[in-house]
PDB file of all heavy atoms in Angstrom:
ATOM      1  N   SER A  22      51.743 -30.160  76.571  1.00 96.00           N
ATOM      2  CA  SER A  22      52.217 -29.162  75.603  1.00 96.00           C
ATOM      3  C   SER A  22      52.715 -29.822  74.328  1.00 96.00           C
ATOM      4  O   SER A  22      53.061 -31.003  74.325  1.00 96.00           O
ATOM      5  CB  SER A  22      53.364 -28.349  76.221  1.00 96.00           C
ATOM      6  OG  SER A  22      52.910 -27.681  77.382  1.00 96.00           O
ATOM      7  N   GLU A  23      52.741 -29.029  73.263  1.00 97.00           N
ATOM      8  CA  GLU A  23      53.260 -29.520  71.975  1.00 97.00           C
ATOM      9  C   GLU A  23      54.750 -29.857  72.098  1.00 97.00           C
ATOM     10  O   GLU A  23      55.233 -30.797  71.486  1.00 97.00           O
ATOM     11  CB  GLU A  23      53.076 -28.452  70.883  1.00 97.00           C
ATOM     12  CG  GLU A  23      51.629 -28.146  70.526  1.00 97.00           C
ATOM     13  CD  GLU A  23      50.955 -29.274  69.757  1.00 97.00           C
ATOM     14  OE1 GLU A  23      51.595 -29.883  68.891  1.00 97.00           O
ATOM     15  OE2 GLU A  23      49.772 -29.559  70.060  1.00 97.00           O
ATOM     16  N   LEU A  24      55.485 -29.040  72.846  1.00 96.00           N
ATOM     17  CA  LEU A  24      56.925 -29.281  73.038  1.00 96.00           C
ATOM     18  C   LEU A  24      57.106 -30.180  74.250  1.00 96.00           C
ATOM     19  O   LEU A  24      56.653 -29.848  75.335  1.00 96.00           O
ATOM     20  CB  LEU A  24      57.659 -27.950  73.255  1.00 96.00           C
ATOM     21  CG  LEU A  24      57.537 -26.933  72.119  1.00 96.00           C
ATOM     22  CD1 LEU A  24      58.216 -25.627  72.501  1.00 96.00           C
ATOM     23  CD2 LEU A  24      58.155 -27.478  70.832  1.00 96.00           C
ATOM     24  N   PHE A  25      57.774 -31.330  74.034  1.00 92.00           N
ATOM     25  CA  PHE A  25      57.850 -32.258  75.167  1.00 92.00           C
ATOM     26  C   PHE A  25      59.217 -32.918  75.346  1.00 92.00           C
ATOM     27  O   PHE A  25      59.376 -33.762  76.211  1.00 92.00           O
ATOM     28  CB  PHE A  25      56.764 -33.340  75.041  1.00 92.00           C
ATOM     29  CG  PHE A  25      56.827 -34.102  73.741  1.00 92.00           C
ATOM     30  CD1 PHE A  25      57.695 -35.158  73.583  1.00 92.00           C
ATOM     31  CD2 PHE A  25      56.011 -33.730  72.678  1.00 92.00           C
ATOM     32  CE1 PHE A  25      57.757 -35.852  72.379  1.00 92.00           C
ATOM     33  CE2 PHE A  25      56.064 -34.416  71.474  1.00 92.00           C
ATOM     34  CZ  PHE A  25      56.945 -35.479  71.326  1.00 92.00           C
ATOM     35  N   ALA A  26      60.228 -32.540  74.544  1.00 95.00           N
ATOM     36  CA  ALA A  26      61.542 -33.182  74.686  1.00 95.00           C
ATOM     37  C   ALA A  26      62.462 -32.281  75.510  1.00 95.00           C
ATOM     38  O   ALA A  26      63.013 -31.313  74.988  1.00 95.00           O
ATOM     39  CB  ALA A  26      62.137 -33.436  73.304  1.00 95.00           C
ATOM     40  N   PRO A  27      62.673 -32.575  76.818  1.00 96.00           N
ATOM     41  CA  PRO A  27      63.439 -31.676  77.682  1.00 96.00           C
ATOM     42  C   PRO A  27      64.841 -31.333  77.161  1.00 96.00           C
ATOM     43  O   PRO A  27      65.238 -30.171  77.195  1.00 96.00           O
ATOM     44  CB  PRO A  27      63.520 -32.423  79.014  1.00 96.00           C
ATOM     45  CG  PRO A  27      62.304 -33.290  79.024  1.00 96.00           C
ATOM     46  CD  PRO A  27      62.099 -33.696  77.593  1.00 96.00           C
ATOM     47  N   SER A  28      65.558 -32.329  76.617  1.00 96.00           N
ATOM     48  CA  SER A  28      66.942 -32.028  76.195  1.00 96.00           C
ATOM     49  C   SER A  28      66.961 -31.079  74.993  1.00 96.00           C
ATOM     50  O   SER A  28      67.806 -30.180  74.903  1.00 96.00           O
ATOM     51  CB  SER A  28      67.718 -33.310  75.899  1.00 96.00           C
ATOM     52  OG  SER A  28      67.055 -34.041  74.903  1.00 96.00           O
ATOM     53  N   ALA A  29      65.998 -31.241  74.067  1.00 97.00           N
ATOM     54  CA  ALA A  29      65.912 -30.328  72.913  1.00 97.00           C
ATOM     55  C   ALA A  29      65.529 -28.925  73.374  1.00 97.00           C
ATOM     56  O   ALA A  29      66.085 -27.921  72.908  1.00 97.00           O
ATOM     57  CB  ALA A  29      64.887 -30.850  71.912  1.00 97.00           C
ATOM     58  N   ILE A  30      64.597 -28.847  74.327  1.00 98.00           N
ATOM     59  CA  ILE A  30      64.180 -27.549  74.875  1.00 98.00           C
ATOM     60  C   ILE A  30      65.384 -26.856  75.510  1.00 98.00           C
ATOM     61  O   ILE A  30      65.646 -25.672  75.268  1.00 98.00           O
ATOM     62  CB  ILE A  30      63.042 -27.734  75.909  1.00 98.00           C
ATOM     63  CG1 ILE A  30      61.759 -28.199  75.200  1.00 98.00           C
ATOM     64  CG2 ILE A  30      62.783 -26.444  76.698  1.00 98.00           C
ATOM     65  CD1 ILE A  30      60.704 -28.790  76.118  1.00 98.00           C
ATOM     66  N   GLN A  31      66.158 -27.626  76.302  1.00 98.00           N
ATOM     67  CA  GLN A  31      67.327 -27.058  76.973  1.00 98.00           C
ATOM     68  C   GLN A  31      68.320 -26.470  75.968  1.00 98.00           C
ATOM     69  O   GLN A  31      68.808 -25.349  76.137  1.00 98.00           O
ATOM     70  CB  GLN A  31      68.020 -28.127  77.834  1.00 98.00           C
ATOM     71  CG  GLN A  31      67.277 -28.400  79.134  1.00 98.00           C
ATOM     72  CD  GLN A  31      67.823 -29.610  79.876  1.00 98.00           C
ATOM     73  OE1 GLN A  31      67.620 -30.745  79.467  1.00 98.00           O
ATOM     74  NE2 GLN A  31      68.508 -29.366  80.972  1.00 98.00           N
ATOM     75  N   SER A  32      68.602 -27.219  74.901  1.00 97.00           N
ATOM     76  CA  SER A  32      69.628 -26.728  73.964  1.00 97.00           C
ATOM     77  C   SER A  32      69.130 -25.527  73.158  1.00 97.00           C
ATOM     78  O   SER A  32      69.885 -24.598  72.870  1.00 97.00           O
ATOM     79  CB  SER A  32      70.149 -27.855  73.060  1.00 97.00           C
ATOM     80  OG  SER A  32      69.186 -28.230  72.134  1.00 97.00           O
ATOM     81  N   ILE A  33      67.833 -25.482  72.831  1.00 98.00           N
ATOM     82  CA  ILE A  33      67.296 -24.336  72.075  1.00 98.00           C
ATOM     83  C   ILE A  33      67.278 -23.077  72.932  1.00 98.00           C
ATOM     84  O   ILE A  33      67.618 -21.993  72.466  1.00 98.00           O
ATOM     85  CB  ILE A  33      65.900 -24.681  71.489  1.00 98.00           C
ATOM     86  CG1 ILE A  33      66.124 -25.539  70.243  1.00 98.00           C
ATOM     87  CG2 ILE A  33      65.106 -23.430  71.121  1.00 98.00           C
ATOM     88  CD1 ILE A  33      64.952 -26.301  69.782  1.00 98.00           C
ATOM     89  N   VAL A  34      66.909 -23.224  74.205  1.00 98.00           N
ATOM     90  CA  VAL A  34      66.900 -22.065  75.112  1.00 98.00           C
ATOM     91  C   VAL A  34      68.319 -21.508  75.249  1.00 98.00           C
ATOM     92  O   VAL A  34      68.537 -20.300  75.139  1.00 98.00           O
ATOM     93  CB  VAL A  34      66.304 -22.448  76.494  1.00 98.00           C
ATOM     94  CG1 VAL A  34      66.507 -21.325  77.510  1.00 98.00           C
ATOM     95  CG2 VAL A  34      64.810 -22.773  76.356  1.00 98.00           C
ATOM     96  N   LYS A  35      69.283 -22.380  75.435  1.00 97.00           N
ATOM     97  CA  LYS A  35      70.685 -21.929  75.564  1.00 97.00           C
ATOM     98  C   LYS A  35      71.142 -21.210  74.290  1.00 97.00           C
ATOM     99  O   LYS A  35      71.738 -20.128  74.327  1.00 97.00           O
ATOM    100  CB  LYS A  35      71.582 -23.142  75.861  1.00 97.00           C
ATOM    101  CG  LYS A  35      73.074 -22.898  75.760  1.00 97.00           C
ATOM    102  CD  LYS A  35      73.647 -22.245  77.005  1.00 97.00           C
ATOM    103  CE  LYS A  35      75.143 -21.993  76.813  1.00 97.00           C
ATOM    104  NZ  LYS A  35      75.863 -21.684  78.021  1.00 97.00           N
ATOM    105  N   LYS A  36      70.826 -21.809  73.142  1.00 97.00           N
ATOM    106  CA  LYS A  36      71.229 -21.239  71.849  1.00 97.00           C
ATOM    107  C   LYS A  36      70.636 -19.837  71.657  1.00 97.00           C
ATOM    108  O   LYS A  36      71.320 -18.899  71.239  1.00 97.00           O
ATOM    109  CB  LYS A  36      70.737 -22.179  70.734  1.00 97.00           C
ATOM    110  CG  LYS A  36      71.355 -21.924  69.380  1.00 97.00           C
ATOM    111  CD  LYS A  36      70.904 -23.003  68.403  1.00 97.00           C
ATOM    112  CE  LYS A  36      71.185 -22.568  66.979  1.00 97.00           C
ATOM    113  NZ  LYS A  36      70.532 -23.432  66.002  1.00 97.00           N
ATOM    114  N   ALA A  37      69.344 -19.681  72.018  1.00 98.00           N
ATOM    115  CA  ALA A  37      68.676 -18.380  71.871  1.00 98.00           C
ATOM    116  C   ALA A  37      69.268 -17.343  72.829  1.00 98.00           C
ATOM    117  O   ALA A  37      69.424 -16.168  72.480  1.00 98.00           O
ATOM    118  CB  ALA A  37      67.180 -18.535  72.123  1.00 98.00           C
ATOM    119  N   MET A  38      69.651 -17.788  74.034  1.00 97.00           N
ATOM    120  CA  MET A  38      70.283 -16.869  74.994  1.00 97.00           C
ATOM    121  C   MET A  38      71.638 -16.389  74.464  1.00 97.00           C
ATOM    122  O   MET A  38      71.963 -15.203  74.543  1.00 97.00           O
ATOM    123  CB  MET A  38      70.458 -17.559  76.358  1.00 97.00           C
ATOM    124  CG  MET A  38      69.169 -17.755  77.130  1.00 97.00           C
ATOM    125  SD  MET A  38      69.435 -18.631  78.700  1.00 97.00           S
ATOM    126  CE  MET A  38      70.221 -17.337  79.685  1.00 97.00           C
ATOM    127  N   VAL A  39      72.414 -17.316  73.922  1.00 96.00           N
ATOM    128  CA  VAL A  39      73.733 -16.969  73.364  1.00 96.00           C
ATOM    129  C   VAL A  39      73.562 -15.962  72.226  1.00 96.00           C
ATOM    130  O   VAL A  39      74.283 -14.958  72.142  1.00 96.00           O
ATOM    131  CB  VAL A  39      74.480 -18.239  72.871  1.00 96.00           C
ATOM    132  CG1 VAL A  39      75.713 -17.873  72.040  1.00 96.00           C
ATOM    133  CG2 VAL A  39      74.889 -19.111  74.056  1.00 96.00           C
ATOM    134  N   GLU A  40      72.578 -16.216  71.370  1.00 96.00           N
ATOM    135  CA  GLU A  40      72.317 -15.334  70.229  1.00 96.00           C
ATOM    136  C   GLU A  40      71.975 -13.916  70.703  1.00 96.00           C
ATOM    137  O   GLU A  40      72.489 -12.927  70.172  1.00 96.00           O
ATOM    138  CB  GLU A  40      71.161 -15.929  69.416  1.00 96.00           C
ATOM    139  CG  GLU A  40      70.950 -15.330  68.050  1.00 96.00           C
ATOM    140  CD  GLU A  40      72.111 -15.577  67.090  1.00 96.00           C
ATOM    141  OE1 GLU A  40      72.759 -16.640  67.177  1.00 96.00           O
ATOM    142  OE2 GLU A  40      72.366 -14.683  66.271  1.00 96.00           O
ATOM    143  N   ARG A  41      71.128 -13.835  71.710  1.00 96.00           N
ATOM    144  CA  ARG A  41      70.738 -12.530  72.255  1.00 96.00           C
ATOM    145  C   ARG A  41      71.955 -11.799  72.853  1.00 96.00           C
ATOM    146  O   ARG A  41      72.183 -10.620  72.597  1.00 96.00           O
ATOM    147  CB  ARG A  41      69.673 -12.740  73.346  1.00 96.00           C
ATOM    148  CG  ARG A  41      69.348 -11.490  74.175  1.00 96.00           C
ATOM    149  CD  ARG A  41      68.448 -10.544  73.436  1.00 96.00           C
ATOM    150  NE  ARG A  41      68.323  -9.256  74.101  1.00 96.00           N
ATOM    151  CZ  ARG A  41      67.272  -8.462  73.983  1.00 96.00           C
ATOM    152  NH1 ARG A  41      66.258  -8.830  73.227  1.00 96.00           N
ATOM    153  NH2 ARG A  41      67.236  -7.300  74.585  1.00 96.00           N
ATOM    154  N   MET A  42      72.737 -12.534  73.658  1.00 95.00           N
ATOM    155  CA  MET A  42      73.906 -11.932  74.313  1.00 95.00           C
ATOM    156  C   MET A  42      74.952 -11.512  73.270  1.00 95.00           C
ATOM    157  O   MET A  42      75.583 -10.467  73.391  1.00 95.00           O
ATOM    158  CB  MET A  42      74.519 -12.927  75.307  1.00 95.00           C
ATOM    159  CG  MET A  42      73.564 -13.343  76.410  1.00 95.00           C
ATOM    160  SD  MET A  42      73.604 -12.280  77.844  1.00 95.00           S
ATOM    161  CE  MET A  42      75.113 -12.818  78.605  1.00 95.00           C
ATOM    162  N   SER A  43      75.108 -12.318  72.225  1.00 95.00           N
ATOM    163  CA  SER A  43      76.079 -11.990  71.150  1.00 95.00           C
ATOM    164  C   SER A  43      75.705 -10.678  70.476  1.00 95.00           C
ATOM    165  O   SER A  43      76.560  -9.834  70.196  1.00 95.00           O
ATOM    166  CB  SER A  43      76.095 -13.075  70.073  1.00 95.00           C
ATOM    167  OG  SER A  43      76.598 -14.264  70.583  1.00 95.00           O
ATOM    168  N   SER A  44      74.407 -10.516  70.223  1.00 94.00           N
ATOM    169  CA  SER A  44      73.969  -9.319  69.498  1.00 94.00           C
ATOM    170  C   SER A  44      74.162  -8.055  70.338  1.00 94.00           C
ATOM    171  O   SER A  44      74.361  -6.966  69.815  1.00 94.00           O
ATOM    172  CB  SER A  44      72.510  -9.454  69.062  1.00 94.00           C
ATOM    173  OG  SER A  44      71.673  -9.457  70.198  1.00 94.00           O
ATOM    174  N   VAL A  45      74.133  -8.206  71.660  1.00 94.00           N
ATOM    175  CA  VAL A  45      74.276  -7.040  72.537  1.00 94.00           C
ATOM    176  C   VAL A  45      75.753  -6.776  72.860  1.00 94.00           C
ATOM    177  O   VAL A  45      76.225  -5.645  72.799  1.00 94.00           O
ATOM    178  CB  VAL A  45      73.474  -7.243  73.856  1.00 94.00           C
ATOM    179  CG1 VAL A  45      73.738  -6.096  74.826  1.00 94.00           C
ATOM    180  CG2 VAL A  45      71.985  -7.350  73.559  1.00 94.00           C
ATOM    181  N   TYR A  46      76.481  -7.844  73.203  1.00 91.00           N
ATOM    182  CA  TYR A  46      77.882  -7.685  73.622  1.00 91.00           C
ATOM    183  C   TYR A  46      78.867  -7.707  72.435  1.00 91.00           C
ATOM    184  O   TYR A  46      80.060  -7.488  72.609  1.00 91.00           O
ATOM    185  CB  TYR A  46      78.259  -8.766  74.642  1.00 91.00           C
ATOM    186  CG  TYR A  46      77.656  -8.547  76.022  1.00 91.00           C
ATOM    187  CD1 TYR A  46      76.791  -9.481  76.589  1.00 91.00           C
ATOM    188  CD2 TYR A  46      77.946  -7.402  76.749  1.00 91.00           C
ATOM    189  CE1 TYR A  46      76.229  -9.285  77.849  1.00 91.00           C
ATOM    190  CE2 TYR A  46      77.398  -7.190  78.015  1.00 91.00           C
ATOM    191  CZ  TYR A  46      76.542  -8.129  78.555  1.00 91.00           C
ATOM    192  OH  TYR A  46      75.993  -7.936  79.812  1.00 91.00           O
ATOM    193  N   HIS A  47      78.327  -8.015  71.237  1.00 91.00           N
ATOM    194  CA  HIS A  47      79.143  -8.046  69.994  1.00 91.00           C
ATOM    195  C   HIS A  47      80.350  -8.988  70.111  1.00 91.00           C
ATOM    196  O   HIS A  47      81.462  -8.637  69.739  1.00 91.00           O
ATOM    197  CB  HIS A  47      79.606  -6.634  69.595  1.00 91.00           C
ATOM    198  CG  HIS A  47      78.465  -5.663  69.531  1.00 91.00           C
ATOM    199  ND1 HIS A  47      77.410  -5.816  68.644  1.00 91.00           N
ATOM    200  CD2 HIS A  47      78.165  -4.565  70.282  1.00 91.00           C
ATOM    201  CE1 HIS A  47      76.523  -4.840  68.829  1.00 91.00           C
ATOM    202  NE2 HIS A  47      76.966  -4.072  69.823  1.00 91.00           N
ATOM    203  N   ILE A  48      80.100 -10.169  70.687  1.00 89.00           N
ATOM    204  CA  ILE A  48      81.131 -11.220  70.686  1.00 89.00           C
ATOM    205  C   ILE A  48      80.446 -12.530  70.312  1.00 89.00           C
ATOM    206  O   ILE A  48      79.260 -12.727  70.592  1.00 89.00           O
ATOM    207  CB  ILE A  48      81.847 -11.369  72.053  1.00 89.00           C
ATOM    208  CG1 ILE A  48      80.846 -11.406  73.225  1.00 89.00           C
ATOM    209  CG2 ILE A  48      82.895 -10.297  72.284  1.00 89.00           C
ATOM    210  CD1 ILE A  48      81.485 -11.697  74.571  1.00 89.00           C
ATOM    211  N   ASN A  49      81.226 -13.402  69.678  1.00 84.00           N
ATOM    212  CA  ASN A  49      80.643 -14.675  69.242  1.00 84.00           C
ATOM    213  C   ASN A  49      80.909 -15.816  70.215  1.00 84.00           C
ATOM    214  O   ASN A  49      80.162 -16.781  70.268  1.00 84.00           O
ATOM    215  CB  ASN A  49      81.173 -15.059  67.855  1.00 84.00           C
ATOM    216  CG  ASN A  49      80.637 -14.097  66.807  1.00 84.00           C
ATOM    217  OD1 ASN A  49      79.492 -13.662  66.898  1.00 84.00           O
ATOM    218  ND2 ASN A  49      81.473 -13.731  65.842  1.00 84.00           N
ATOM    219  N   ARG A  50      82.011 -15.696  70.952  1.00 88.00           N
ATOM    220  CA  ARG A  50      82.323 -16.769  71.912  1.00 88.00           C
ATOM    221  C   ARG A  50      82.313 -16.191  73.329  1.00 88.00           C
ATOM    222  O   ARG A  50      82.897 -15.152  73.585  1.00 88.00           O
ATOM    223  CB  ARG A  50      83.697 -17.376  71.626  1.00 88.00           C
ATOM    224  CG  ARG A  50      83.705 -18.267  70.392  1.00 88.00           C
ATOM    225  CD  ARG A  50      85.019 -19.017  70.280  1.00 88.00           C
ATOM    226  NE  ARG A  50      85.210 -19.991  71.359  1.00 88.00           N
ATOM    227  CZ  ARG A  50      84.656 -21.203  71.373  1.00 88.00           C
ATOM    228  NH1 ARG A  50      83.871 -21.588  70.383  1.00 88.00           N
ATOM    229  NH2 ARG A  50      84.868 -22.031  72.368  1.00 88.00           N
ATOM    230  N   PHE A  51      81.637 -16.889  74.236  1.00 89.00           N
ATOM    231  CA  PHE A  51      81.570 -16.431  75.626  1.00 89.00           C
ATOM    232  C   PHE A  51      82.500 -17.287  76.488  1.00 89.00           C
ATOM    233  O   PHE A  51      82.457 -18.514  76.426  1.00 89.00           O
ATOM    234  CB  PHE A  51      80.131 -16.531  76.153  1.00 89.00           C
ATOM    235  CG  PHE A  51      79.221 -15.508  75.552  1.00 89.00           C
ATOM    236  CD1 PHE A  51      78.510 -15.790  74.392  1.00 89.00           C
ATOM    237  CD2 PHE A  51      79.097 -14.248  76.121  1.00 89.00           C
ATOM    238  CE1 PHE A  51      77.688 -14.839  73.817  1.00 89.00           C
ATOM    239  CE2 PHE A  51      78.267 -13.288  75.542  1.00 89.00           C
ATOM    240  CZ  PHE A  51      77.568 -13.576  74.398  1.00 89.00           C
ATOM    241  N   ALA A  52      83.330 -16.620  77.275  1.00 90.00           N
ATOM    242  CA  ALA A  52      84.279 -17.354  78.135  1.00 90.00           C
ATOM    243  C   ALA A  52      83.525 -18.172  79.194  1.00 90.00           C
ATOM    244  O   ALA A  52      83.948 -19.261  79.573  1.00 90.00           O
ATOM    245  CB  ALA A  52      85.218 -16.367  78.816  1.00 90.00           C
ATOM    246  N   GLU A  53      82.407 -17.648  79.669  1.00 91.00           N
ATOM    247  CA  GLU A  53      81.604 -18.299  80.717  1.00 91.00           C
ATOM    248  C   GLU A  53      82.466 -18.703  81.917  1.00 91.00           C
ATOM    249  O   GLU A  53      82.341 -19.802  82.455  1.00 91.00           O
ATOM    250  CB  GLU A  53      80.835 -19.512  80.159  1.00 91.00           C
ATOM    251  CG  GLU A  53      79.773 -19.108  79.134  1.00 91.00           C
ATOM    252  CD  GLU A  53      78.634 -20.116  79.001  1.00 91.00           C
ATOM    253  OE1 GLU A  53      78.195 -20.650  80.028  1.00 91.00           O
ATOM    254  OE2 GLU A  53      78.197 -20.344  77.864  1.00 91.00           O
ATOM    255  N   ASP A  54      83.356 -17.817  82.330  1.00 94.00           N
ATOM    256  CA  ASP A  54      84.219 -18.111  83.474  1.00 94.00           C
ATOM    257  C   ASP A  54      83.854 -17.247  84.693  1.00 94.00           C
ATOM    258  O   ASP A  54      84.617 -17.119  85.636  1.00 94.00           O
ATOM    259  CB  ASP A  54      85.696 -17.900  83.101  1.00 94.00           C
ATOM    260  CG  ASP A  54      85.966 -16.503  82.542  1.00 94.00           C
ATOM    261  OD1 ASP A  54      85.015 -15.685  82.497  1.00 94.00           O
ATOM    262  OD2 ASP A  54      87.113 -16.230  82.142  1.00 94.00           O
ATOM    263  N   GLY A  55      82.647 -16.637  84.636  1.00 95.00           N
ATOM    264  CA  GLY A  55      82.207 -15.773  85.740  1.00 95.00           C
ATOM    265  C   GLY A  55      81.237 -16.485  86.669  1.00 95.00           C
ATOM    266  O   GLY A  55      81.277 -17.714  86.811  1.00 95.00           O
ATOM    267  N   ASP A  56      80.357 -15.719  87.277  1.00 96.00           N
ATOM    268  CA  ASP A  56      79.397 -16.275  88.240  1.00 96.00           C
ATOM    269  C   ASP A  56      78.305 -17.085  87.539  1.00 96.00           C
ATOM    270  O   ASP A  56      78.041 -16.909  86.358  1.00 96.00           O
ATOM    271  CB  ASP A  56      78.774 -15.135  89.058  1.00 96.00           C
ATOM    272  CG  ASP A  56      79.828 -14.457  89.921  1.00 96.00           C
ATOM    273  OD1 ASP A  56      80.617 -15.180  90.545  1.00 96.00           O
ATOM    274  OD2 ASP A  56      79.881 -13.209  89.938  1.00 96.00           O
ATOM    275  N   GLU A  57      77.663 -17.949  88.326  1.00 97.00           N
ATOM    276  CA  GLU A  57      76.688 -18.897  87.770  1.00 97.00           C
ATOM    277  C   GLU A  57      75.286 -18.290  87.695  1.00 97.00           C
ATOM    278  O   GLU A  57      74.835 -17.635  88.627  1.00 97.00           O
ATOM    279  CB  GLU A  57      76.642 -20.152  88.646  1.00 97.00           C
ATOM    280  CG  GLU A  57      77.961 -20.906  88.657  1.00 97.00           C
ATOM    281  CD  GLU A  57      77.867 -22.221  89.446  1.00 97.00           C
ATOM    282  OE1 GLU A  57      76.845 -22.444  90.134  1.00 97.00           O
ATOM    283  OE2 GLU A  57      78.821 -23.013  89.346  1.00 97.00           O
TER     284      GLU A  57
END
């Protein structure tokens, strides 16, 4: 594949998930103290 750096892929996926959750839950910081 064109994308081949696992650590960069990991951080971009996390960032995009946070962005999506922020837009729905209308919060900028997530406590992340719940279930895994």
Side-chain angles (χ1 to χ4, degrees):
S22 300
E23 294 289 320
L24 301 176
F25 56 83
S28 58
I30 291 163
Q31 283 170 287
S32 71
I33 281 162
V34 170
K35 169 81 182 194
K36 194 174 164 192
M38 288 178 74
V39 169
E40 193 65 33
R41 170 78 190 207
M42 299 271 284
S43 293
S44 67
V45 174
Y46 286 119
H47 308 298
I48 47 174
N49 292 323
R50 286 189 66 81
F51 288 91
E53 294 204 40
D54 55 3
D56 295 315
E57 296 185 350

